[in-house]
């Protein structure tokens, strides 16, 4: 009966489309009817690359009832589409519906597109989450020393891959995982929502990510990445639901994202202690623009704490935070090695914060006990300017490492309105060096005021990053029926 209706409906659609085409054909002379293709679904979107082949997930046996597992359907659809990788690439369209699925992997020259009413629902059946090895730059999983569950949407060693949609949803159904984590019942590290490893030319855009089991978006050992127009929502008390974590990545731009989460909204990373030092892959050339963050127990932008491969050349601008623990936070420790240098931040607007600026040299949290106590991080060239904040408990808490001061700190044109219940001493500074200009309330003596003529002294690079030259193309999806 159902099949009959489907066939019947499809016939009706084809009939309607044929009538339309007849009308079009009558108005155009010389069109060869043999080449006419009928079109039922068609839309445009912006992509780093467009695809020659379009396929709807329903044509691969996908069932959007919220109950039937689609893991195998995704896997087989994508593996069949890999034959188009060298023939213009393929785009897989996920229509409106609730698509229950476990982890599946992407391929090169491929676009996954979610309709605005499509919801990918993460399965709670652990057998649908294959376990993979810990990241080499971490040496172990973040939750558990053994392996880690593969992310919901995973990819490794890819080039030219897009996950996008018309603000379609990926729902991690994380409560199940958070509970297991709190009860210390997990044998492996929780999965992320989207992880791409060792990949180049990545676009993740125009999606809503809900209730991730752990981190939301994790590009790692990758380059040339655009993350744009992503809404990330998770309870502010949920464990480790970081928003976007570029990790040992080069040339990345994160733009127009709105994040409410239980951990750092953006956390820039590059590996952990001796494993990160040995792997030696920094995060560099990163732009963060027009980010809005709500995270009462974490940072708007965190650098670290895993930064052992180094973090260099980060530019953040037009950052808004509401009821967030800190604005920018640098987290590191003895044993991390690596560096955080050439960090540029301008135009932050902050409401209700505990600390506007926070640097922590004794973060601890080691992968194991084998870290090198002589591996000291180098923190230098940290520039913050044009910041307005209100209802702040403490302006700054800047704590370097005793035989390893954090240097070249520049803070200018900053106005911090203190909360009624603010701490008496708005700044605490130890083992740091640098300067300030035009900062209220009056900063600590380790950051002497250079006078208002130095108000533009803190650097921000004029020229863009290479990723800014990458223009998105106007792509079309159109499903051809015959
Ligand atoms: C992916 O690339 C990395 C780095 O080039 C390499 O070490 C690894 O073996 C590759 N993995 C696969 C599955 O090809
Ligand atoms: C996307 O959906 C989320 C959740 O419903 C909503 O808050 C957000 O405003 C939407 N974004 C766009 C660009 O439509
Ligand atoms: C100081 O910061 C404010 C707020 O961001 C900005 O409007 C103003 O132009 C800045 N002043 C200078 C001299 O850059
Ligand atoms: C100021 O911050 C406190 C928490 O520190 C909050 O309870 C209060 O609502 C905030 N006030 C305003 C005006 O935002």
């Amino acid at each position: 009966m159902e099949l009959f209706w489907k066939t019947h409906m499809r016939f009706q659609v084809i009939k309607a489309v044929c009538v339309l085409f007849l009308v079009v054909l009558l108005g155009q002379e010389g069109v060869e009817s043999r080449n006419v293709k009928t079109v039922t679904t068609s839309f445009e979107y912006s992509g780093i690359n467009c695809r020659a082949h379009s396929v709807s997930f329903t044509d691969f046996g996908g069932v959007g009832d919220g109950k039937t597992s689609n893991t195998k359907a995704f896997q087989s659809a994508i593996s069949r589409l890999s034959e188009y990788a060298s023939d213009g690439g393929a785009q897989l369209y996920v229509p409106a519906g609730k698509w229950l699925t476990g982890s599946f992997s992407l391929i090169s020259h491929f676009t996954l597109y979610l309709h605005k009413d499509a919801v990918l629902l993460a399965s709670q059946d652990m057998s649908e989450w294959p376990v993979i090895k810990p990241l080499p730059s971490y040496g172990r999983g973040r939750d558990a020393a053994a392996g880690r569950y593969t992310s919901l949407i995973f990819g490794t060693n890819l080039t030219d891959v897009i996950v996008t949609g018309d603000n379609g949803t990926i729902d991690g159904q994380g409560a199940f995982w958070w509970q297991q984590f709190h009860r210390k019942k997990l044998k492996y590290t929780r999965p992320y929502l989207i992880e791409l490893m060792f990949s180049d030319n990545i676009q993740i855009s125009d999606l809503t990510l809900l209730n991730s089991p752990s981190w939301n978006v994790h590009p790692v050992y990758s380059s040339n990445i655009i993350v744009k127009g992503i809404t990330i929502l998770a309870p502010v008390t949920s464990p480790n639901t970081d928003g976007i974590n570029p990790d040992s990545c080069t040339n990345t731009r994160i733009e127009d994202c709105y994040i409410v989460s239980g951990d750092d909204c953006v956390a820039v990373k590059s590996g952990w202690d001796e494993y990160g030092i040995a792997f030696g892959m920094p995060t560099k050339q990163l732009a963060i623009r027009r980010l809005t963050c709500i995270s009462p127990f974490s940072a708007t932008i965190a650098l670290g704490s895993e930064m052992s491969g180094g973090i260099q050349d980060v530019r953040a601008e037009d950052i808004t935070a509401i009821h967030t623990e800190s604005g920018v936070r640098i987290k590191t420790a003895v044993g991390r090695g690596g560096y955080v240098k050439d960090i540029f931040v301008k135009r932050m607007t902050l409401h209700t914060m505990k600390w506007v600026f926070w640097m922590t040299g004794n973060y601890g949290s080691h992968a194991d006990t084998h870290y090198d106590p002589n591996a000291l991080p180098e923190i230098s060239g940290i520039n913050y300017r044009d910041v307005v904040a209100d209802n702040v408990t403490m302006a700054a808490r800047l704590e370097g490492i005793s035989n390893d001061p954090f240097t070249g700190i520049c803070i200018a044109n900053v106005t911090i309105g203190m909360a009624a219940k603010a701490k008496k001493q708005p700044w605490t500074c130890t083992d740091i060096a640098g300067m300030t200009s035009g900062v209220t309330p009056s900063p600590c003596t380790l950051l002497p005021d250079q006078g208002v003529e130095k108000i533009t002294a803190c650097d921000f690079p004029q020229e863009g990053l290479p990723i800014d030259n990458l223009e998105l193309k106007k792509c079309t999806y159109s499903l051809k029926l015959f």
Side-chain angles (χ1 to χ4, degrees):
M1 196 61 193
E2 208 182 306
L3 192 70
F4 166 78
W5 272 109
K6 266 195 193 152
T7 315
H8 180 73
M9 288 306 290
R10 179 162 283 201
F11 178 65
Q12 292 296 324
V13 170
I14 291 170
K15 231 169 60 182
V17 170
C18 287
V19 169
L20 241 165
F21 262 85
L22 254 174
V23 172
V24 173
L25 277 176
L26 288 173
Q28 287 180 4
E29 278 178 294
V31 174
E32 276 187 66
S33 60
R34 262 177 302 149
N35 293 336
V36 169
K37 305 241 166 80
T38 57
V39 171
T40 53
T41 305
S42 168
F43 54 84
E44 284 179 346
Y45 65 95
S46 302
I48 50 174
N49 271 309
C50 302
R51 311 300 178 199
H53 301 272
S54 301
V55 179
S56 172
F57 187 47
T58 45
D59 293 339
F60 280 95
V63 181
D65 63 1
K67 292 183 193 121
T68 309
S69 172
N70 289 284
T71 313
K72 287 205 171 71
F74 272 116
Q75 282 163 350
S76 68
I78 293 170
S79 96
R80 277 176 60 191
L81 293 174
S82 65
E83 73 191 55
Y84 294 129
S86 54
D87 176 31
Q91 45 196 349
L92 179 62
Y93 168 66
V94 181
K98 286 190 155 75
W99 310 89
L100 184 68
T101 183
S103 169
F104 62 89
S105 295
L106 305 178
I107 52 173
S108 293
H109 307 295
F110 176 75
T111 298
L112 180 68
Y113 185 101
L114 303 188
H115 179 274
K116 70 175 167 47
D117 298 318
V119 182
L120 294 192
L121 273 182
S123 166
Q124 306 199 326
D125 175 354
M126 291 222 186
S127 69
E128 301 224 58
W129 302 84
V131 175
I132 54 174
K133 282 189 289 196
L135 291 165
S137 60
Y138 283 68
R140 51 161 289 163
R142 230 36 201 85
D143 297 338
R148 47 196 206 106
Y149 293 103
T150 314
S151 61
L152 185 68
I153 297 178
F154 179 71
T156 191
N157 301 67
L158 304 183
T159 183
D160 180 19
V161 57
I162 302 176
V163 183
T164 189
D166 182 17
N167 203 18
T169 300
I170 302 173
D171 183 349
Q173 306 210 83
F176 161 80
W177 297 92
W178 306 331
Q179 217 168 54
Q180 304 245 354
F181 171 75
H182 285 308
R183 291 181 186 156
K184 299 193 165 39
K185 285 205 165 148
L186 289 170
K187 221 167 117 194
Y188 305 109
T189 291
R190 283 167 288 163
Y192 306 142
L193 278 191
I194 302 174
E195 180 176 77
L196 288 159
M197 285 173 57
F198 298 114
S199 295
D200 184 42
N201 284 306
I202 298 170
Q203 174 185 340
I204 299 167
S205 60
D206 302 304
L207 296 168
T208 295
L209 310 183
L210 296 181
N211 299 329
S212 177
S214 179
W215 302 354
N216 279 271
V217 179
H218 186 223
V220 57
Y221 320 135
S222 293
S223 52
N224 303 314
I225 304 160
I226 296 178
V227 178
K228 191 173 167 60
I230 301 290
T231 301
I232 294 177
L233 307 172
V236 296
T237 52
S238 55
N240 313 105
T241 47
D242 300 32
I244 301 161
N245 291 9
D247 196 348
S248 296
C249 286
T250 299
N251 203 29
T252 304
R253 104 190 188 218
I254 298 171
E255 294 173 337
D256 304 300
C257 292
Y258 178 92
I259 302 173
V260 182
S261 81
D263 211 318
D264 303 324
C265 287
V266 172
V268 184
K269 296 177 184 285
S270 65
W272 207 3
D273 290 350
E274 67 272 26
Y275 304 101
I277 295 170
F279 201 76
M281 196 166 178
T283 287
K284 58 185 188 202
Q285 297 182 309
L286 168 65
I288 305 167
R289 304 181 179 122
R290 300 179 299 277
L291 168 71
T292 301
C293 171
I294 300 176
S295 187
F297 309 106
S298 296
T300 311
I301 298 173
L303 306 164
S305 79
E306 307 91 329
M307 39 60 70
S308 302
I311 294 173
Q312 183 168 22
D313 191 0
V314 177
R315 303 117 182 250
E317 57 191 306
D318 299 305
I319 308 299
T320 304
I322 304 152
H323 198 190
T324 296
E325 188 174 47
S326 58
V328 181
R329 182 176 184 196
I330 296 174
K331 313 183 208 177
T332 187
V334 168
R336 285 286 195 280
Y339 50 83
V340 176
K341 59 188 179 190
D342 308 331
I343 308 300
F344 313 98
V345 180
K346 70 177 179 188
R347 292 195 301 269
M348 291 205 293
T349 308
L350 311 170
H351 307 279
T352 305
M353 315 289 288
K354 204 158 174 190
W355 295 284
V356 171
F357 307 114
W358 194 6
M359 299 185 188
T360 308
N362 65 347
Y363 194 77
S365 171
H366 294 291
D368 53 38
T369 55
H370 306 305
Y371 66 89
D372 175 2
N374 297 314
L376 300 178
E378 179 201 338
I379 313 299
S380 65
I382 313 294
N383 300 276
Y384 301 134
R385 67 181 227 206
D386 308 342
V387 177
V388 180
D390 61 30
N391 200 24
V392 169
T393 311
M394 262 193 83
R397 175 175 170 187
L398 307 176
E399 298 164 338
I401 296 173
S402 61
N403 52 343
D404 176 34
F406 298 175
T407 61
I409 296 168
C410 183
I411 305 179
N413 189 27
V414 173
T415 306
I416 299 173
M418 303 305 289
K421 285 186 191 160
K423 290 270 191 295
K424 276 217 176 64
Q425 199 184 351
W427 294 71
T428 56
C429 302
T430 49
D431 305 301
I432 60 153
M435 60 149 279
T436 54
S437 166
V439 174
T440 30
S442 190
C444 56
T445 51
L446 290 179
L447 298 175
D449 183 353
Q450 302 298 301
V452 77
E453 58 275 14
K454 288 282 167 79
I455 199 147
T456 57
C458 303
D459 253 355
F460 196 98
Q462 294 274 304
E463 72 286 3
L465 292 170
I467 191 76
D468 292 319
N469 300 327
L470 189 101
E471 285 196 20
L472 297 182
K473 298 168 187 163
K474 194 190 266 184
C475 301
T476 307
Y477 172 96
S478 52
L479 183 66
K480 293 155 188 158
L481 270 181
F482 52 82

